[in-house]
Amino acid sequence: MPRVKQFDENEVLAKAMNLFWKQGYSATSVQDLVSCLGISRASLYDTFGDKEQLFKKCFALYRKCNIESLTKFFQSHPNVKNGFSDLFNIAIQEAVHDKEKKGCFVVNITTELIPNDETLLQVLESNKRDIENLFYEYLKKGKEKGQLKTDKDLKSISSLFYTIYSGIKVVSKIEANKKELKDSVNIALSLLV
Amino acid sequence: MPRVKQFDENEVLAKAMNLFWKQGYSATSVQDLVSCLGISRASLYDTFGDKEQLFKKCFALYRKCNIESLTKFFQSHPNVKNGFSDLFNIAIQEAVHDKEKKGCFVVNITTELIPNDETLLQVLESNKRDIENLFYEYLKKGKEKGQLKTDKDLKSISSLFYTIYSGIKVVSKIEANKKELKDSVNIALSLLV
DNA sequence: CATAATTTGGAATGAAAGTTCCGAATACTT
DNA sequence: AAGTATTCGGAACTTTCATTCCAAATTATG
């Protein structure tokens, strides 16, 4: 009976995500979205609700992708030192090649919308917990396998690495200097003895 | 001849700075500013130009205060290890007591307005350079005085510390957990041997 | 092939955005 | 004390915002 949707919902959502990512929430108008997504105003509202709902769906998508890829990444990197080294260096690589200077969606949105969005704060809190836990479990497993000799508190290292990761995503928006970033990350990695 | 201004320009500028700091650039309307500053629309435009000019003046003020206070801070902390320890712990203290969760104006603005403001980018680049240089000179002096034995590259440590500092300002908007922040900062400080 | 459900583009709406303008009020100079 | 340059409050203006609405187009089913 019904006429079928003429666009792929996930494809459009990904486009919207990229636009919010690049421009932020406030600076992205519904008109911007309509122009970028290639669907009409009506379809946008029918499919995704209003601007805020669309945004939250984009953000959820980003989080999901991030957590999934991080989990897989750790699974495929059995050595914890190499793993973190690769993780940071990939972040640097991304930053250097990111012509649009989008940085990290989570970081951008944190600084733009906190303290003025309570429900988003809860999402960000659980995102932080999730990632720090992934870091911690990864470190713990590495230590159990004898890859780490350090007796430093692994929770604290997890949280420091999350802080550094966020910091990289800020700093590299200003100036993505590959050598500078690599050198400073190497110093941080020297904590993993 | 002329009627004199009925408000203190610097006082008003400080109020505007705090509003932009808390709400960001896009989310702060001229109406918000008029309500907050206690001066009329006309006075605002006459004195500071349009919204963008006012914003840039606020940002310049913030930078000036920051650089000055950092310079003084280092001067009054002759020991480099204690100095960085205090610097980070003050940042943590500020974050924990920051009920408004404003974070850092520079970080907030970086993630909100880059890549969409070229002139601001230049300001941010020089801000980064300035602060990293202050860090570096401080570390170098400490090393010369024999306070540091590390043979790690001091430029890289400066840049890592700037990254961590920025990261703290992001992470603490989500959750300003004093113990967690202190523990992770202590790990970073252990790099200063 | 006709019916009906749904999508779609664009116009319409009303609120809020940034900016300008103007008359009244004000305070320094002569 | 008078004159005048400037400030000031608020109305006015134009543009843009998010959202809703409607008629036309479309497509799967009976």
Side-chain angles (χ1 to χ4, degrees), chain A residues 127-144:
Chain A
N127 185 65
K128 175 172 179 282
R129 264 195 307 274
D130 291 350
I131 293 183
E132 285 184 350
N133 277 339
L134 283 175
F135 281 7
Y136 173 70
E137 293 299 332
Y138 188 51
L139 286 167
K140 202 175 79 172
K141 210 166 280 174
K143 176 140 192 201
E144 284 164 6

Side-chain angles (χ1 to χ4, degrees), chain A residues 80-90 92 138-139 148 150 152 157 160-161 164 168 181-193, chain B residues 152 160 164 191:
Chain A
V80 63
K81 284 189 209 173
N82 296 338
F84 271 111
S85 175
D86 284 3
L87 185 70
F88 281 123
N89 280 305
I90 287 171
I92 291 170
Y138 188 51
L139 286 167
L148 291 182
T150 180
K152 291 194 174 69
I157 296 186
L160 175 63
F161 279 8
I164 293 176
I168 289 174
L181 288 168
K182 280 198 151 207
D183 286 348
S184 76
V185 155
N186 278 337
I187 299 230
L189 289 168
S190 75
L191 289 166
L192 296 182
V193 195
Chain B
K152 292 193 173 70
L160 175 63
I164 293 177
L191 289 165

Side-chain angles (χ1 to χ4, degrees), chain B residues 82-133:
Chain B
N82 295 339
F84 271 110
S85 175
D86 284 3
L87 185 70
F88 281 122
N89 279 305
I90 287 171
I92 291 170
Q93 201 69 10
E94 278 172 7
V96 171
H97 289 98
D98 179 13
K99 292 261 170 171
E100 288 184 307
K101 296 196 182 213
K102 295 196 294 183
C104 168
F105 197 20
V106 169
V107 170
N108 297 352
I109 287 310
T110 299
T111 52
E112 181 185 350
L113 298 183
I114 304 301
N116 299 307
D117 188 321
E118 182 58 35
T119 71
L120 188 66
L121 177 59
Q122 290 169 13
V123 176
L124 289 167
E125 280 170 355
S126 82
N127 185 64
K128 174 171 180 282
R129 263 196 306 275
D130 291 348
I131 293 183
E132 285 184 351
N133 277 340

Side-chain angles (χ1 to χ4, degrees), chain A residues 92-146:
Chain A
I92 291 170
Q93 203 69 9
E94 278 173 8
V96 170
H97 289 97
D98 179 14
K99 291 261 171 172
E100 287 184 308
K101 296 197 182 213
K102 295 196 295 184
C104 169
F105 197 20
V106 170
V107 170
N108 296 353
I109 288 309
T110 300
T111 52
E112 180 186 350
L113 297 183
I114 304 301
N116 298 307
D117 189 321
E118 182 57 36
T119 73
L120 188 67
L121 177 58
Q122 289 168 15
V123 176
L124 289 167
E125 279 169 356
S126 82
N127 185 65
K128 175 172 179 282
R129 264 195 307 274
D130 291 350
I131 293 183
E132 285 184 350
N133 277 339
L134 283 175
F135 281 7
Y136 173 70
E137 293 299 332
Y138 188 51
L139 286 167
K140 202 175 79 172
K141 210 166 280 174
K143 176 140 192 201
E144 284 164 6
K145 287 194 273 184

Side-chain angles (χ1 to χ4, degrees), chain B residues 22-79:
Chain B
K22 183 179 177 196
Q23 304 192 342
Y25 179 75
S26 298
T28 301
S29 69
V30 175
Q31 184 54 53
D32 288 342
L33 287 162
V34 169
S35 306
C36 167
L37 303 191
I39 64 174
S40 73
R41 227 172 222 75
S43 306
L44 192 159
Y45 277 90
D46 282 353
T47 312
F48 303 105
D50 62 17
K51 181 183 169 185
E52 187 178 342
Q53 289 175 273
L54 170 58
F55 169 77
K56 301 231 156 142
K57 279 170 190 162
C58 290
F59 197 66
L61 174 64
Y62 183 86
R63 249 199 92 196
K64 182 167 161 284
C65 293
N66 254 19
I67 298 273
E68 278 177 12
S69 86
L70 190 59
T71 306
K72 279 186 195 158
F73 181 89
F74 283 158
Q75 279 165 4
S76 62
H77 287 72
N79 182 286

